[in-house]
Structures are given as C-alpha cells and as structure tokens.
C-alpha cells in the first residue's frame, strides 16, 4: 500500500516518455526541414520548431515532476514556469541552429552538448524551483550532478544522431533509423528528468504524497495530450512539407538537367562539337573576372581563319566543306594545349584562348604550329585539298582589357596576316584597328554603291601587235566613293568575294559591258570584242551560265563578241566543275582566256583540258622582258607553248616601245598597256574610238 503511494505514477512515466520520444522525433524532422528550406520558410521552421521542441521538452519535465511522489501536484508560480519553458525553447533553437552547420567536430559536439545540457537542466531546476514545497528546496548533490551529466551527454548524443541522420540526406531518411534514434533520445531526456526529480529532497515528504497519488493528474494528462497533439500536427506538417519540397527538388533537378543539356547544345558547334562563340566568351569573361595584372594573369586570344575557304566550299560542295572543317578542327585540337580553349566561331573561323604560359614566344610557337599543321594537304574523298591559314593574336592585358577589344584586335591582326600574303600569323599592333574598321566601312559603302549605281566601268583597249588595230576591249571596275575616294578593284574584289557581293557586282559588270559594246556599235563604231573579268565565286555559282545567257539576250550582243577572263587558280579550285561550265560557255560561242598567266600554277598541260582560246601573260613578266633575262625567257617560252596549243597570247602591261618590240619579235599577237592607252571612262573611250575610226555622225 505504502509502496504504491511512495512509488512513481507509471502512467505518467509512460506518458512523459511518449512526450520525450515525440519531441525527439519532432526535433529530428524539424532539423531536416530547417536545413532544406530557404528564406522565410527556413526562419519559420526554425522558430516554430524551437517552440514545439521546447514545449515537448518542457512537457516531459512537467509530467516527470508530476509522476514523482515528492514533487507532484503542488501549486506553481506562473513566472518560473514561463522562464522554464523559455529555457526549453532557447535550448531547442540553439540545437536546431547547431544541427544546420556543416560538420560536427568533437569541439562543436562537446560545446554544443554542454550548452544544451545546461539549458535543459536550467529548464528543469527553474521549473522545480517554482514548486512550493513549504520550505527551502534542497538537492542530493550526487544525483544533481548525475542529472546534469545525463543532460549534457544526452544532448551530445542528440547532436551526434542528428548529424548521422543528416548524412542520409540523399536517400530518404529511413523511418526505422529516425524512430530508434528518437527512442534513444526520448529515454535520455526522460532519464535526465527523473534523475533530476530524484535529486530533490523535501523536508515534509508525507504531506504531498497522498494527494499526488490518489487524484488522477488531470493537469499532467492535459499538458501531455496538448503537447503530443501539437507535436504530431507539426510533425505531419513537416513530413508533408518535406514531401512537397522533395517533389520540388526533383522538379528543380530535372529542370537543372534539362537546362544543362540545353546549354550544352547551344554552346557547342554541332559540326565539330567544339565550343562555340558563346562558350568562348564565357571563358574570356571568367579570365577577365580574375582581374589584375602580372604574368600569371596574362592570356592570349588567337583568331584562326582559313584562307579562301569560301571558294572551296562553293566549288567542291558543302559536304567537302564540312568534312574539311572537321579535319581542320581535329588538327587544331592537336596543335593547341589541353588547357587552351578552342572554339569554332564562324564558318571557317576558329578562336583559341590560351591562359597558360602565354608569353609572346610561346604564343608565336602555337600560332606557327597551327599554320604549319593546317598547311599540310587534306584528303577528303578523292580530293587532295590544300589550304592556308591566317592567324591573328591579341594578348591580355597589353592589347585590351575587355573581351570585345581582345576579340576585335585578334581579328584585326588576322586580317593583317591575310593582307601580308596569308599563310602566316601576326600579333596585334596598335594601328591595326583602323584596318578592320576600314574594311567594315568599305563593305557598307560598297553596299550603298551597288544600291545607288555608283560603280562604273573603265575600258582598256587590246591592240594587235602587228597592225596596231584595236582587237578588243577589257572592262575594268571603277568606284569613286565620296568618303573613301577612288577605291581600286584590288581592294573591292576581295571584300566583294568575302561578302558575296561579287555576284550582284559581277552581273552588273557583265551587263553594263555588253550593253556598252552594243551602244558604241550603235554609234557607228565596229562591234568590239568585250572582255569581262570573272571571279571564282561567279564561276562556281550555280546560275552563272543562265546569267550569261540572259545578259546576252537582253543586250543582243553576239556571243562571239564576249570574252571572259579567268585566273588559273579560279579554274583549278574545282577543275571538273570549271571544265563543265567552260564547255557550256564555249558552246554558246563565248571566248575564254586565262588572266595573269604565270602567277598561278602555270600548268599548260593542265590547261589543255579547258576550252581556252587565249593566254594573258601577267604584267610582272612583261615589264621585265628588256631588263631581266629570266623574264624574257619565261615570256618567250610561254608564247611558244601557247602557239603549240593554238592559243592566242596577250601581253599585259606593255608600257614601252621596247617591250612591244620584244613581244612582236616573239610573235605575241596582242598587247594591252599604257603604251596604247590606260583604262578610260566610257566617254573617254568613245573619244579614243572616234580618233581612230572617224565616223560619219
Ligand atoms: P587584270 O585583269 O590583270 O587587269 C589589268 C590591270 O592592269 C588593271 O588594273 C589595269 O588598269 C592595269 N594595267 C593595264 N595596263 C597597264 C600598264 O601598262 N601598266 C600598269 N602599271 N597597269 C596596267 P585594275 O583596273 O586596277 O584592275 C586590277 C585587277 O582587278 C584586274 O586585273 C582584275 O583582276 C580585277 N578586276 C578589275 N575589274 C574587275 C571586274 O569587273 N570583275 C572582277 N572579278 N575582277 C576585276
Ligand atoms: Ca583581266
Ligand atoms: Ca591580268
């Protein structure tokens, strides 16, 4: 009987244990919520979690004190009760904060566990201090110490368990693990509470006993159920929120993946799988973001451009062009270092950003390696293709401190390499920039000139070497621009070829020249054979033969009065195709001649394949015939060979009587040059004609 009175209330013990376990469970779940949420949600979970856990620990303490025979059922003051509860909340807040940190070192576990243990002990002893026990409360010092030790080690255990559970973040936390952890924790909390309760010594033990043991403890039950209810609700909320969050996380993850794939797609060149301009600029941004100067911050930007790729692509077809680009990319990969970024930034343009060991000498070495490596022949299908490459280099910080400056300057240097003869590399130098600008301006002015009919033709006679009669006339492009002044064909044609403007320009030249010949004829002069220069791009254009036919039809010029001048290299770019086109033109009755002979392949046996009627020997040879034995020998040999192939010969650039005499002696048939006349405007040429053919008009 007495035992029952003196003993603890088993129902309340069980209840307090249940509350402690629920509080621990809530603690672990809430820690995970705080950890995985962000912003306001994180703060709310932290605050709410601290409140609920604090309430749980406090309830365990409260019910524990009610279960004990010594402390049960005594009136309490509100203030110490609130202070006690506050300690519970603060301790929980502290615990939740600690669990959010990255790692749990021994130091953190010791210190954090001590603070938490002391917090819980304070909760308890302040709570017990609120008891009116009818005299000073005294404690059994051993049990008091033991309770603190249990509180501290229990807290450390809680931290440790919490960190272990945290590690299983990726996979879903197993219910079993979290449940058993909560059980261990709950027992520890309850153990601490009961040790502390046992530590209290009351002066008048008997007084409290009967009441406490006989009346069912309503207050303890109410508090237990309210606390468990609140904790369960919050637990459910946290589980539901975790579920939502994991769904969101999964969604975000798949979005991230899709984004990543998309980015990989848009930042790679599909043909070569190399990074594209986008990625290259990102790399430049990253390098520039390092800021500062000094040798380790230096880097170099290479602009690599294949010379005359467009003509290969146009003549051999896109399939070959694509294959060539792939092979070029493969060679470039070998030529640069692993740490360098190689990107394809345009049809035949590549850029390299090299951030390692980028002094001028090693940059030059890389560039030379690129030029040499791409200079070796490419085998594609049955074609052996040779290309050359021009490389421009700009360096940070010497040549610019933003990415656009560096890219433009590398580009400008590349153009200088091209202008200096191609197949080489150049470092950027100040002053080069005007070059690129000039080129861009030229292009835009040229477009305007086409639109505004600002282009004109000049005409230079071809003269019979023996009789001095006019054998024909060559149309030469002229452009006087209000801003740029006189722009020579040698400046116009490369830009026009690169931009494709050569097609409209070429058609205009053809039509204007044919019309001009007819116009002069209509004025009573003899119908002159009109020679028009062709670019390789025109020749390789699908519609070219149709264009020629149409022009002849529109202008009514008889086909045998039209002569087309082509360079050897234009024909040799795609000999098979050229041969076919030339045959069709020849069939129409049009005369074909090889321009600038001697400067290209100079392969007469090759030229036999083509329906050519005339060779024009380049001015660089004829100008030296009287002073340079070798030039004289070459010109003599070319004329002899041309005769044997039944080709006519036109000597270009004859400026002196001596030169003419030489040509006459070796039996060249025609000449062209200042000796007879410069290229003249339409009006001047008409005056020139009038002096020679006095017509009755
Ligand atoms: P080309 O076909 O060899 O034209 C001859 C060039 O030599 C012309 O220069 C002409 O003015 C120049 N010339 C003629 N006789 C003499 C001489 O006795 N002494 C000197 N020093 N020069 C002489 P131009 O007009 O500057 O043309 C340069 C090149 O531009 C042409 O070389 C031709 O390849 C190209 N070109 C000109 N007009 C056209 C065109 O309408 N279409 C195409 N595709 N190319 C053109
Ligand atoms: Ca010509
Ligand atoms: Ca020529």
């Amino acid at each position: 009987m007495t035992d029952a009175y003196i003993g603890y209330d088993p129902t309340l013990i069980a209840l307090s244990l249940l509350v402690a376990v629920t509080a621990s469970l809530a603690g672990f779940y809430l820690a995970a919520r705080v950890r995985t949420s962000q912003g306001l949600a994180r703060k709310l979970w932290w605050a709410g979690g601290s409140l609920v856990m604090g309430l749980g620990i406090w309830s365990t303490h409260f019910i524990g004190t009610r279960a004990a025979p010594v402390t049960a059922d005594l009136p309490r003051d509100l203030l110490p009760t609130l202070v006690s509860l506050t300690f519970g909340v603060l301790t929980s807040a502290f615990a939740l904060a600690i669990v959010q940190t990255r790692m749990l070192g021994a130091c953190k576990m010791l210190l954090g566990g001590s603070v938490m243990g002391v917090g819980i002990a304070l909760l308890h002893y302040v709570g017990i201090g609120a008891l009116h026990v009818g005299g000073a409360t005294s404690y059994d010092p051993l049990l008091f110490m033991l309770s603190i030790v249990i509180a501290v080690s229990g807290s450390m255990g809680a931290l440790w368990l919490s960190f272990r559970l945290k590690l299983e973040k990726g996979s879903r936390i197993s219910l079993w693990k979290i449940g058993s952890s909560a059980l261990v924790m709950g027992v520890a909390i309850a153990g601490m509470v009961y040790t502390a309760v046992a530590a209290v010594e009351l002066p008048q033990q008997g007084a409290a006993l009967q009441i406490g043991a006989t009346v069912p403890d309503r207050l303890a039950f109410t508090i237990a159920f309210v606390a468990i209810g609140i904790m369960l609700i919050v637990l459910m909320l946290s589980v539901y929120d975790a579920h939502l969050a994991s769904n969101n996380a999964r969604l975000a993850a798949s979005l991230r993946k899709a984004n990543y794939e998309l980015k990989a797609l848009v930042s790679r060149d599909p043909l070569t799988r190399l990074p594209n301009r986008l990625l290259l600029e990102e790399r430049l941004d990253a390098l520039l973001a390092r800021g500062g100067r000094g040798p380790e911050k230096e880097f170099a930007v290479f602009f690599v451009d294949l010379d005359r790729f467009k003509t290969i692509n146009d003549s051999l077809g896109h399939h070959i062009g694509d294959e060539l680009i792939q092979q070029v990319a493969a060679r470039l990969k070998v030529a640069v270092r692993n740490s360098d970024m190689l990107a394809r930034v345009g049809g035949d343009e590549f850029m390299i950003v090299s951030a390692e060991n980028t002094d001028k000498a090693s940059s030059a070495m890389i560039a030379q390696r690129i030029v040499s490596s791409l200079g070796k022949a490419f085998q594609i299908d049955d074609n052996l293709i040779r290309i050359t490459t021009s490389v421009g280099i700009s360096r940070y910080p010497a040549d610019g401190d933003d990415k656009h400056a560096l890219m433009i300057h590398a580009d400008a240097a590349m153009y200088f390499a091209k202008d200096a003869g191609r197949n080489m590399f150049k470092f950027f130098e100040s002053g080069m920039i005007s070059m690129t600008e000039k080129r861009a301006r030229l292009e835009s002015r040229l477009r305007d000139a086409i639109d505004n009919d600002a282009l004109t033709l000049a005409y230079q006679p071809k003269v019979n070497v023996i009789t001095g009669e006019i054998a024909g006339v060559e149309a030469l492009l002229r452009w006087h621009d209000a801003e740029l002044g006189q722009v020579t064909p040698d400046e116009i044609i490369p830009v026009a070829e690169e931009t494709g403007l050569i097609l409209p320009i070429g058609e205009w030249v053809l039509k204007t020249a044919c019309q001009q010949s007819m116009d002069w004829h209509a004025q009573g002069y003899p119908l002159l054979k009109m020679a028009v220069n062709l670019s390789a791009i025109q020749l390789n254009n699908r519609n070219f033969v149709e264009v020629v036919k149409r022009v002849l039809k529109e202008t009514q010029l008889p086909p045998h009065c039209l002569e087309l001048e082509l360079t050897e290299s234009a024909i040799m770019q795609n000999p098979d195709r050229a041969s076919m086109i030339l045959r069709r033109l020849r069939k129409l009755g049009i005369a074909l001649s090889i321009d600038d002979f001697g400067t290209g392949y100079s392969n007469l046996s090759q030229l036999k394949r083509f329906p050519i009627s005339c060779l024009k020997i380049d001015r660089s040879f004829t100008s030296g015939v009287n002073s340079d034995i070798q030039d004289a020998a070459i010109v003599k040999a070319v004329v002899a060979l041309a005769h044997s192939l039944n080709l006519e010969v036109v000597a270009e650039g004859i400026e002196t009587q001596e030169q003419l005499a030489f040509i006459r002696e070796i039996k060249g048939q025609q000449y062209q040059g200042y000796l007879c006349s410069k290229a003249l405007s339409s009006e001047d040429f008409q005056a020139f004609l009038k002096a020679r053919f006095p017509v009755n008009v």
Side-chain angles (χ1 to χ4, degrees):
M1 197 60 185
T2 321
D3 271 339
Y5 286 132
I6 296 175
Y8 286 69
D9 183 332
T11 325
L12 286 186
I13 292 180
L15 209 57
S16 67
L17 204 62
L18 187 65
V19 173
V21 171
T22 316
S24 308
L25 202 61
F28 291 138
Y29 268 106
L30 290 168
R33 286 327 306 130
V34 179
R35 189 159 52 238
T36 49
S37 47
Q38 262 143 25
L40 183 66
R42 187 186 171 96
K43 288 198 182 100
L44 284 177
W45 275 119
W46 186 51
S50 308
L51 269 175
V52 170
M53 267 175 71
L55 180 70
I57 301 173
W58 179 81
S59 303
T60 310
H61 139 83
F62 183 82
I63 300 164
T65 58
R66 306 289 288 198
V70 283
T71 51
D73 208 32
L74 287 170
R76 287 142 203 273
D77 277 345
L78 192 63
L79 188 69
T81 302
L82 278 181
V83 172
S84 156
L85 187 61
T86 307
F87 275 120
V89 172
L90 288 180
T91 306
S92 303
F94 176 75
L96 281 178
I98 270 203
V99 172
Q100 305 311 317
T101 55
R102 228 125 91 72
M103 271 182 12
L104 182 73
C107 216
K108 201 189 274 176
M109 190 165 93
L110 284 176
L111 215 73
S114 304
V115 172
M116 281 167 66
V118 169
I120 293 172
L122 276 169
L123 169 149
H124 185 72
Y125 286 105
V126 169
I128 290 183
L131 297 173
H132 285 270
V133 285
T137 315
S138 62
Y139 304 99
D140 177 336
L142 212 72
L143 284 175
F144 175 78
M145 285 310 291
L146 185 65
S147 75
I148 299 213
V149 169
I150 294 181
V152 169
S153 53
S155 300
M156 286 180 194
L159 285 179
W160 184 76
L161 281 173
S162 198
F163 267 89
R164 282 225 6 206
L165 291 171
K166 183 171 141 182
L167 288 181
E168 305 188 19
K169 201 158 89 190
S171 55
R172 288 165 149 258
I173 306 173
S174 92
L175 220 64
W176 186 83
K177 261 191 192 154
I178 205 167
S180 52
S181 301
L183 199 68
V184 171
M185 268 308 298
V187 170
I189 295 176
M192 180 266 156
V193 165
Y194 286 105
T195 320
V197 166
V200 178
E201 289 167 342
L202 286 178
Q204 311 151 339
Q205 280 199 344
L209 290 180
Q210 280 136 11
I211 319 160
T214 48
V215 185
D217 197 332
R218 280 248 200 80
L219 187 62
F221 274 98
T222 314
I223 285 187
F225 286 123
V226 168
I228 290 179
I230 291 179
M231 285 191 289
L232 282 182
I233 289 173
V234 172
L235 249 174
M236 265 150 60
L237 271 177
S238 80
V239 170
Y240 179 66
D241 186 63
H243 175 72
L244 279 187
S246 89
N247 268 355
N248 281 343
R250 218 172 310 137
L251 213 71
S254 63
L255 210 70
R256 230 187 346 264
K257 190 165 166 251
N259 243 334
Y260 182 80
E261 281 165 5
L262 194 72
K263 190 168 176 215
L265 268 182
V266 299
S267 55
R268 296 253 160 203
D269 162 50
L271 181 65
T272 58
R273 302 303 301 154
L274 288 178
N276 65 9
R277 185 182 289 271
L278 207 77
L279 222 56
L280 183 105
E281 289 191 19
E282 263 177 31
R283 173 105 176 100
L284 283 175
D285 285 335
L287 286 174
L288 289 165
R290 303 184 308 184
R293 288 173 178 243
E296 75 287 353
K297 298 288 170 62
E298 284 179 6
F299 61 88
V301 179
F302 299 72
F303 201 111
V304 179
D305 189 285
L306 310 183
D307 302 323
R308 301 191 181 97
F309 172 75
K310 197 174 159 55
T311 39
I312 293 177
N313 203 37
D314 287 348
S315 56
L316 297 181
H318 292 288
H319 155 67
I320 304 277
D322 283 357
E323 178 66 34
L324 178 62
I325 289 294
Q326 281 171 320
Q327 291 196 18
V328 165
R331 284 195 197 174
L332 283 174
K333 259 187 228 163
V334 176
V336 304
R337 296 171 297 199
N338 282 341
S339 57
D340 299 341
M341 180 184 256
L342 165 66
R344 182 175 177 220
V345 296
D348 63 337
E349 294 166 348
F350 296 84
M351 280 182 94
I352 295 151
V353 175
S354 175
E356 227 174 69
N357 195 11
T358 42
D359 57 275
K360 216 166 170 172
S362 42
S363 296
M365 219 166 69
I366 294 176
Q368 187 51 55
R369 209 154 57 211
I370 290 170
V371 171
S372 312
S373 149
L374 298 185
K376 296 185 189 110
F378 291 85
Q379 171 86 49
I380 298 170
D381 296 348
D382 293 335
N383 305 286
L384 206 60
I385 298 175
R386 276 183 191 281
I387 51 165
T388 57
T389 309
S390 302
V391 181
I393 308 163
S394 67
R395 301 170 69 240
Y396 172 85
D399 301 333
D401 49 16
D402 71 84
K403 80 178 165 198
H404 287 293
L406 288 164
M407 286 165 71
I408 288 175
H409 289 172
D411 183 66
M414 185 277 292
Y415 270 115
F416 257 77
K418 274 202 195 301
D419 281 335
R422 299 181 162 102
N423 199 25
M424 65 176 85
F425 67 88
K426 286 262 184 249
F427 282 99
F428 175 75
E429 284 164 24
S430 55
M432 278 186 180
I433 190 62
S434 60
M435 184 70 194
T436 335
E437 280 169 356
K438 204 174 145 192
R439 216 176 172 92
R441 207 161 108 212
L442 193 76
E443 183 190 333
S444 103
R445 301 290 302 170
L446 185 58
R447 288 183 193 276
D448 288 350
I450 296 169
D451 291 344
N452 304 329
D453 264 344
L455 301 176
T456 58
L457 289 182
Y459 300 93
Q460 189 179 35
K462 290 183 182 175
V463 188
N464 185 307
V465 170
I466 312 289
T467 63
E469 280 169 12
I470 311 261
V473 54
E474 179 179 2
L476 294 159
L477 190 61
R478 292 291 177 264
W479 175 29
H480 184 87
D481 181 74
E483 277 179 24
L484 305 172
Q486 193 72 26
V487 189
T488 69
D490 291 329
E491 293 170 275
I492 304 167
I493 302 301
V495 174
E497 285 183 337
E498 249 162 55
T499 53
L501 289 173
I502 191 69
L503 291 176
I505 292 176
E507 189 173 337
W508 175 86
V509 170
L510 190 67
K511 186 166 178 194
T512 308
C514 292
Q515 189 61 56
Q516 182 66 76
S517 195
M518 291 302 284
D519 287 353
W520 284 324
H521 185 50
Q523 311 237 347
Y525 302 105
L527 188 56
L528 291 172
K529 191 171 190 173
M530 180 61 75
V532 172
N533 293 283
L534 285 191
S535 145
I537 291 174
Q538 286 173 279
L539 184 68
N540 289 309
N541 181 258
R542 234 170 277 289
N543 298 322
F544 183 64
V545 178
E546 307 312 314
V547 169
V548 174
K549 276 193 198 164
R550 194 175 68 230
V551 167
L552 288 175
K553 198 170 157 207
E554 280 172 11
T555 59
Q556 295 288 304
L557 184 77
H560 71 268
C561 287
L562 177 61
E563 178 173 355
L564 297 176
E565 295 189 4
L566 295 137
T567 60
E568 247 185 310
S569 58
I571 292 174
M572 290 308 179
Q573 262 172 27
N574 187 355
D576 295 337
R577 188 181 157 78
S579 165
M580 185 191 80
I581 303 284
L582 295 185
R583 257 165 235 292
R584 287 175 64 193
L585 292 170
R586 188 76 199 106
K587 243 193 195 143
L588 293 175
I590 296 165
L592 301 167
S593 55
I594 299 294
D595 207 352
D596 303 344
F597 190 79
T599 58
Y601 301 71
S602 307
N603 190 335
L604 273 176
S605 58
Q606 271 279 339
L607 285 179
K608 262 198 318 208
R609 293 173 55 194
F610 304 100
I612 304 294
S613 48
C614 175
L615 282 188
K616 299 186 72 176
I617 301 175
D618 193 65
R619 194 176 73 227
S620 55
F621 300 102
T622 49
S623 60
V625 285
N626 302 120
S627 51
D628 189 314
I629 309 168
Q630 207 173 349
D631 280 353
I634 290 170
V635 172
K636 208 169 162 177
V638 168
V639 172
L641 271 166
H643 284 166
S644 71
L645 289 169
N646 243 338
L647 298 174
E648 282 195 61
V649 173
V650 178
E652 294 184 318
I654 299 296
E655 295 180 349
T656 64
Q657 285 295 347
E658 290 75 32
Q659 289 168 342
L660 178 60
F662 179 84
I663 298 299
R664 194 180 288 132
E665 196 184 298
I666 62 168
K667 303 205 162 45
Q669 291 102 330
Q670 291 173 30
Y671 82 90
Q672 218 178 323
Y674 293 172
L675 179 62
C676 172
S677 169
K678 293 189 167 193
L680 302 169
S681 69
S682 165
E683 299 78 38
D684 290 349
F685 195 83
Q686 192 167 333
F688 171 87
L689 285 177
K690 194 171 183 178
R692 301 201 162 213
F693 307 100
V695 285
N696 15 341
V697 272

